[in-house]
Every structure is written in C-alpha cells, then in structure tokens.
Amino acid sequence: MEPLVKIDSLKKYYRIEKGLIKKKTINVKAVDNVDLEILRGETFGLVGESGSGKTTVARLLLNFTGPTENTIYFDGVDIFNCSSSELSQLRKRIGVVFQDPAASLNPRSTIYDTLRRPLEVNNVDKSEIDSIINEIIGQVNLGKELLSRYPHQLSGGQQQRVSVARAIILKPDFLVLDEPTSALDISVQAQVLNLLLDIQKKYKMTYLFISHNLSVVRYISDRIGVMYLGKIVEIGSVDQIYKNTLHPYTVGLLTSEPALSPRERDRNKLILEGEAPSMMVDIKGCNLANRCPFKQDICDIDEPKLIEVEKGHKAACHFAGELEFKY
Ligand code: ADP
Ligand code: MG
C-alpha cells in the first residue's frame, strides 16, 4: 500500500540578511533534502536536538509554509500543487498539537467555544455539536464541568488534553504532534502519551510524533527518523535504532540522556565534541565531521548519502555498519 505521507527530497531554506552596512543574504538550511515516508497507521517519531529542523518539517506538512524545492504527498495528493478544494479536504484530514498548550488555546474562549469552532467552520449540523463535544471531552478523560472554563483555569495537563480534543474533533486520519508533552511535568507526560496511544488505537490514526527526547519517542513510535542540521541521519524501526544503532550522532543522542534503568547507568557515553556548526555555513562533507570521534579524511570531503544497511534501516555515514559502538 502507498504510504500516507511521502516527503520527497524536501528543502526549506530561509534567507536571512546579515550585516549592518554590507548586507549579505545567507541561507539557513532548515530542511535540507529530506526523504521520508509515513506508513498508514504507524507512529513515526522524528527526533533531534533543538534547531535540527523538526518543526519546519511539521509546518511544511501542515502547509503553513511552502518549500524551497520539491514537495510532500499526502495520500497521493501533492499538497503544494493542488486545488483549493483538495486543500480544504486535506486540512480536515490533518490535525495538530503543539508544545505549549497555553499559547495554542485562545485565552478568551471557553473550552466549549474552543471545541465548537472547528465544528462550526466545517458546517457540522448544530443539533450534533453538543453531543460531539461531550463525546470528545470524555475521550480525553476530562469532565464536562470543564467546558465552561477558560484555559487559565486548567492545569497544563488538562490544557493539553483540550488541545488533543480539538485536534481530533473532526476525526482526522493524521496527527502532527510537535513536542506535545515537552512542556508538561514528568508525571503528566506519561498520562498524555498514554492518552495519545489510546486515541490512535481507537480511531486508527497515523501519527508524526516530534520530540527532542529519545526516550519519549521510543515509548510511542513504531519507526524513528533522527535529524541533525536539517538532514535525516538515521531512519529505522525502534528496535533497529536502539539495538543496532548505525550513526554516531544517534549514539551520542542516546547516551547523553539520563539512564532509566540501573543497567544503563554505567553504559559508555559517546561524547560529541564541541557544538553543532551554524546552520548558515555551507558544509562540504558530513555535517557531523567536526564533532565525530570516528571522523576520517573522506568525512570532510564527501557528503554521506542515506544508505540501507539492513532492511528498512538507513544511515547517512560513510562508515555505517562498520563502526562498533560500546554503549
Ligand atoms: P527544531 O524544531 O528541530 O528545533 P526548527 O525547525 O524550529 O528546529 O528550526 C530549524 C532551523 O531553522 C533553526 O536554525 C531555526 O533558527 C531556523 N528557522 C526556523 N524558522 C525560521 C524562520 N521563520 N526564519 C528564519 N529561520 C528559521
Ligand atoms: Mg521545534
């Protein structure tokens, strides 16, 4: 079967003016030649440090911004070259939850009004609106008494449940979740993750789940893509990524997180030296070369392509499959 989402050599460069007197225009390569497919019914986790381009991928998928080059297909439709009626159909099929619930809910609208709006905009029959809202608020495990309240009267976890309710109220088949639990207390994070898992099962939805936190992504995803400086550096199933890690960047990300189990506590860390280079410089070879302990001469010369090392498991490293990591 065709994947639900097909991202095809996608590029999004932002042009920035630098310098006060001699103005120079510089490209920030927020998304640089990204290829990926999201399969129907799966949760695809997109992970990487802050600034790696994850939110830009999400904003492109939602058609909030256009690409510099190439495109995205949703269920076979080219989302940047389709008719306005196709686009409004697509909008109904794609829901979104952002990181900060307080910022994404209107402070002057009650929860009831927040949930009613998408139904009204999409001409849902007035007689059905209340029953849909009551069903959805139960679905996200909130009491009906919250419907008359305003966002500031809710806890962060409750606010994010409202955001989830709003995102699924038109029964989309695809949800973009951009760091949906990152602003929440640890104890509440797990509840919201479990809610998202329940909803996915019940409505058979496909998820793009974005996070800078590998353990969160591991918990919820079927497959994972690791991003670094606008590029996918490794992609594979959760087991492939964790048990047979191919890219030094992924190992660095994995071992820099606090250990969850005692067994993991004395694992070796792979330290990536220094800092990520600025997005504004053009790098000739591998983006990770200046930080990678395995660097060879070729890494400064040739850009590594994503190559398949085992079925469904790809990495963009000249030595993918040859390096031994102890972690
Ligand atoms: P992430 O979500 O992984 O933290 P983003 O997609 O937000 O990363 O950002 C990727 C890069 O693109 C960053 O260097 C960021 O500064 C830059 N960027 C994002 N949005 C804009 C914009 N509107 N204008 C200029 N640069 C941007
Ligand atoms: Mg982001």
Side-chain angles (χ1 to χ4, degrees):
M1 221 193 331
E2 270 277 290
L4 183 63
V5 176
K6 194 168 186 311
I7 299 183
D8 200 5
S9 313
L10 192 67
K11 291 185 186 174
K12 177 70 184 184
Y13 294 175
Y14 291 108
R15 294 171 79 78
I16 307 252
E17 298 239 312
K18 262 201 108 185
L20 285 174
I21 300 156
K22 272 196 181 164
K23 281 222 180 345
K24 221 174 116 187
T25 318
I26 295 169
N27 275 326
V28 174
K29 300 181 174 180
V31 174
D32 196 13
N33 232 332
V34 164
D35 276 305
L36 64 90
E37 294 184 344
I38 303 177
L39 311 178
R40 286 162 210 266
E42 79 170 342
T43 295
F44 187 89
L46 193 59
V47 69
E49 288 167 296
S50 165
S52 54
K54 307 180 300 296
T55 295
T56 305
V57 171
R59 297 187 66 238
L60 286 158
L61 253 166
L62 294 159
N63 216 321
F64 291 173
T65 185
T68 306
E69 258 180 53
N70 301 326
T71 196
I72 298 177
Y73 298 91
F74 184 88
D75 207 1
V77 176
D78 180 337
I79 70 165
F80 299 113
N81 297 289
C82 63
S83 66
S84 57
S85 69
E86 277 175 314
L87 195 58
S88 59
Q89 280 304 317
L90 289 180
R91 291 238 151 92
K92 272 185 246 176
R93 296 183 59 188
I94 305 179
V96 59
V97 179
F98 289 111
Q99 171 167 353
D100 187 357
S104 64
L105 297 173
N106 184 342
R108 283 178 295 277
S109 290
T110 61
I111 306 309
Y112 179 83
D113 284 339
T114 293
L115 296 177
R116 190 185 53 177
R117 195 150 301 127
L119 297 170
E120 270 180 357
V121 169
N122 284 283
N123 303 318
V124 172
D125 204 276
K126 275 210 164 43
S127 62
E128 290 176 39
I129 286 186
D130 281 358
S131 70
I132 295 175
I133 290 178
N134 283 333
E135 190 204 317
I136 219 82
I137 205 82
Q139 194 51 234
V140 298
N141 301 325
L142 291 174
K144 292 192 183 64
E145 72 280 2
L146 296 187
L147 288 172
S148 59
R149 297 198 193 150
Y150 291 88
H152 75 269
Q153 297 172 303
L154 272 54
S155 70
Q158 289 172 329
Q159 289 172 350
Q160 201 59 315
R161 286 170 192 274
V162 172
S163 303
V164 171
R166 180 180 54 184
I168 62 172
I169 202 156
L170 295 170
K171 305 263 152 66
D173 33 2
F174 182 57
L175 271 195
V176 176
L177 302 154
D178 190 357
E179 309 255 11
T181 63
S182 302
L184 305 176
D185 290 339
I186 291 279
S187 59
V188 183
Q189 283 191 17
Q191 294 170 13
V192 173
L193 287 179
N194 288 329
L195 171 70
L196 289 169
L197 286 170
D198 287 348
I199 286 173
Q200 184 182 38
K201 225 190 263 161
K202 176 153 188 210
Y203 297 109
K204 300 194 170 50
M205 276 195 257
T206 306
Y207 284 178
L208 171 64
F209 188 96
I210 296 175
S211 177
H212 65 280
N213 183 316
L214 254 178
S215 33
V216 170
V217 167
R218 176 184 201 171
Y219 184 67
I220 196 157
S221 306
D222 301 300
R223 289 192 308 130
I224 290 176
V226 181
M227 263 187 107
Y228 181 61
L229 294 177
K231 293 181 195 286
I232 299 279
V233 297
E234 183 163 358
I235 194 164
S237 70
V238 170
D239 271 359
Q240 287 170 334
I241 297 281
Y242 283 86
K243 297 194 177 135
N244 185 26
T245 317
L246 294 174
H247 201 288
Y249 179 71
T250 311
V251 181
L253 213 55
L254 259 171
T255 59
S256 67
E257 289 191 347
L260 294 176
S261 68
R263 190 173 50 83
E264 289 178 6
R265 218 156 279 157
D266 24 78
R267 68 188 166 191
N268 292 307
K269 284 191 191 304
L270 185 129
I271 309 288
L272 298 171
E273 303 278 341
E275 285 189 24
S278 158
M279 302 284 278
M280 297 181 198
V281 297
D282 264 317
I283 297 165
K284 205 166 144 226
C286 173
N287 274 343
L288 191 66
N290 73 323
R291 302 172 78 189
C292 181
F294 303 98
K295 186 187 96 109
Q296 303 289 324
D297 291 343
I298 186 172
C299 307
D300 283 327
I301 301 165
D302 281 345
E303 185 190 327
K305 301 267 172 304
L306 261 183
I307 51 158
E308 190 162 48
V309 174
E310 54 178 329
K311 194 165 169 20
H313 190 188
K314 297 180 189 172
C317 169
H318 291 296
F319 304 99
E322 295 170 31
L323 301 174
E324 262 210 60
F325 306 113
K326 296 198 179 72
Y327 61 94

